Amino acid sequence: MSTLLLNLDFGEPPPKKTLEGNAKHRNFVKKRRLLERKGFLNKKNQPPSKAPKLQSEPLKKGETPKVDGTWKIPPFPKKRKTAASSGESEQSLDKKATVSWLTPAPSKKADSVAAKVDLLGEFQSALPKIKSHPTRSQKKDPQKKSSQKNLVQKNASQNSTQAHLENKCSGASQQLPKKMVAIDCEMVGTGPKGHVSSLARCSIVNYNGDVLYDEYILPPCRIVDYRTRWSGIRKQHMVKATPFKIARGQILKILTGKIVVGHAIHNDFKALQYFHPKSLTRDTSHIPILNRKADCPENATVSLKRLTKKLLNRDIQVGKSGHSSVEDAQATMELYKVVEVEWEEHLIQNPPQD
């Protein structure tokens, strides 16, 4: 029988695999397992500060993250592409490299496959939800919506400003009559032979003809001629008449800042010893349009009685009792209303200079 030859290598035996880690780590793992069995240590009771740190370095192709213990964690499987509707959003995520905070860092506290799975589940549950990026069509829609909103806001602001201006103009037109009055004064004769005209009665009416002021006024000088035939003033009217200075102050408070309408109004202002701005004065004795409508010469000074009869078909200043300043003031305002629109347009184009 032939001798069997065995090729044996009597060199040094191959070194046994030494347990990875040191004795301190093995003792820590044994104590941890013991505490887990007895129920003193639960995974939920672990403080958040003991959570393993995340790995920041990206992995190379084909590598798996290594742990200092005796096990390795497999890489996360890449998600497959889903339907075409969410294609672009998932393609953008797949193209990106592995996110560093998705992979758990090496931990010395795990020693089994169950521990690996628990840690991975804990990390995945703690990760924030990733919102899919909007597609190009979705990106364009918000811009269109924002531009449409801006257009709507601009149109709304323009409409509001136009409405505000229209309300302002209408408010101004409504306030204009409130700032318009008509005045008429009656005079008596004072001074030498009664040739000086002094104020003895003043009446002021508003745009609608309502009486704002109507008082008999006592002149500062002695009355020589009452001129009753024209003024309607008699001696008994002066008994309780208002002194001139007091009456003048009351009248000027009403006239100041208002458009004053009158017939031959410069005589009334002279008796009041007052000057009113020409831009706020409307004298019906010097309105060419009014004379034209009454079939009178444009540059002629036509009496209030004649204009009222021609345009309003009404008789005033009739009888021997004299004129009524209230009646004259109301007739003057009505004559002004006949040519108000045309005359105001003319004054806008040719403003009077004070």
Side-chain angles (χ1 to χ4, degrees):
M1 204 173 167
S2 62
T3 309
L4 294 173
L5 295 177
L6 298 175
N7 188 10
L8 299 175
D9 188 2
F10 295 99
E12 294 180 359
K16 294 181 180 180
K17 288 186 179 180
T18 57
L19 292 172
E20 293 180 7
N22 50 17
K24 191 175 180 180
H25 175 67
R26 290 195 297 273
N27 292 333
F28 172 78
V29 172
K30 287 178 182 179
K31 289 179 182 179
R32 181 179 177 83
R33 287 178 181 173
L34 181 63
L35 291 173
E36 286 179 353
R37 286 172 193 164
K38 292 184 177 182
F40 291 104
L41 184 63
N42 291 329
K43 182 173 63 178
K44 293 183 180 178
N45 295 333
Q46 294 178 7
S49 61
K50 292 184 179 180
K53 297 181 181 178
L54 302 178
Q55 185 176 352
S56 59
E57 295 181 1
L59 299 175
K60 293 182 181 179
K61 216 170 192 180
E63 284 187 333
T64 57
K66 292 184 179 181
V67 183
D68 291 344
T70 58
W71 51 277
K72 297 180 182 180
I73 300 176
F76 289 103
K78 290 186 179 180
K79 293 182 180 179
R80 293 183 179 180
K81 298 180 182 179
T82 56
S85 60
S86 61
E88 292 184 13
S89 62
E90 292 183 358
Q91 282 175 11
S92 61
L93 289 176
D94 291 337
K95 286 179 183 179
K96 291 184 179 179
T98 307
V99 185
S100 58
W101 46 269
L102 286 175
T103 342
S107 171
K108 296 181 180 180
K109 297 181 181 179
D111 196 26
S112 62
V113 177
K116 300 174 191 176
V117 176
D118 291 339
L119 286 173
L120 288 174
E122 188 175 353
F123 280 127
Q124 289 175 356
S125 63
L127 290 176
K129 294 181 180 179
I130 302 172
K131 295 180 180 180
S132 60
H133 298 284
T135 58
R136 292 180 182 177
S137 60
Q138 290 176 349
K139 285 182 181 178
K140 289 180 182 178
D141 290 338
Q143 293 178 357
K144 289 181 180 178
K145 288 180 181 178
S146 62
S147 62
Q148 289 175 357
K149 285 181 180 179
N150 292 334
L151 289 173
V152 170
Q153 289 176 356
K154 286 180 181 178
N155 294 333
S157 62
Q158 289 176 359
N159 293 335
S160 62
T161 51
Q162 288 177 359
H164 179 67
L165 290 173
E166 289 175 0
N167 293 334
K168 196 173 181 181
C169 295
S170 62
S173 63
Q174 290 175 359
Q175 289 178 1
L176 183 61
K178 295 181 181 178
K179 293 186 177 181
M180 183 173 291
V181 295
I183 189 173
D184 187 76
C185 298
E186 302 296 339
M187 284 70 160
V188 293
T190 60
K193 297 182 181 182
H195 291 305
V196 179
S197 296
S198 297
L199 184 64
R201 185 182 178 185
C202 180
S203 299
I204 302 174
V205 299
N206 62 10
Y207 186 81
N208 299 321
D210 301 325
V211 178
L212 301 178
Y213 184 87
D214 183 27
E215 294 289 338
Y216 289 99
I217 300 166
L218 181 64
C221 302
R222 186 177 66 90
I223 299 174
V224 177
D225 186 3
Y226 283 95
R227 302 178 185 176
T228 306
R229 182 180 174 183
W230 297 279
S231 66
I233 305 296
R234 291 174 174 82
K235 189 175 182 178
Q236 62 266 25
H237 293 147
M238 295 294 106
V239 175
K240 295 182 180 180
T242 307
F244 175 76
K245 288 184 179 180
I246 297 173
R248 182 177 182 272
Q250 295 171 349
I251 295 167
L252 296 188
K253 281 184 180 179
I254 299 173
L255 300 184
T256 303
K258 292 184 175 63
I259 296 175
V260 182
V261 183
H263 193 82
I265 199 170
H266 60 280
N267 294 324
D268 301 329
F269 289 153
K270 185 178 179 181
L272 281 167
Q273 300 176 8
Y274 171 67
F275 175 79
H276 199 68
K278 289 183 180 179
S279 58
L280 298 177
T281 303
R282 306 290 184 267
D283 192 347
T284 53
S285 66
H286 295 288
I287 299 180
I289 304 171
L290 195 64
N291 290 359
R292 194 187 313 142
K293 290 197 173 187
D295 295 329
C296 298
E298 291 186 0
N299 297 326
T301 303
V302 185
S303 66
L304 179 63
K305 182 177 181 178
R306 186 178 176 186
L307 287 173
T308 305
K309 180 64 177 177
K310 286 272 189 180
L311 298 175
L312 304 178
N313 196 21
R314 191 171 68 195
D315 294 323
I316 61 170
Q317 301 175 357
V318 180
K320 296 180 181 180
S321 59
H323 302 173
S324 170
S325 54
V326 173
E327 186 182 44
D328 291 353
Q330 290 172 343
T332 305
M333 181 62 79
E334 290 181 21
L335 287 173
Y336 168 76
K337 288 181 180 179
V338 173
V339 293
E340 179 181 3
V341 176
E342 297 172 284
W343 185 241
E344 292 299 331
E345 288 178 357
H346 173 75
L347 292 178
I348 290 172
Q349 295 175 358
N350 305 293
Q353 295 180 358
D354 294 334

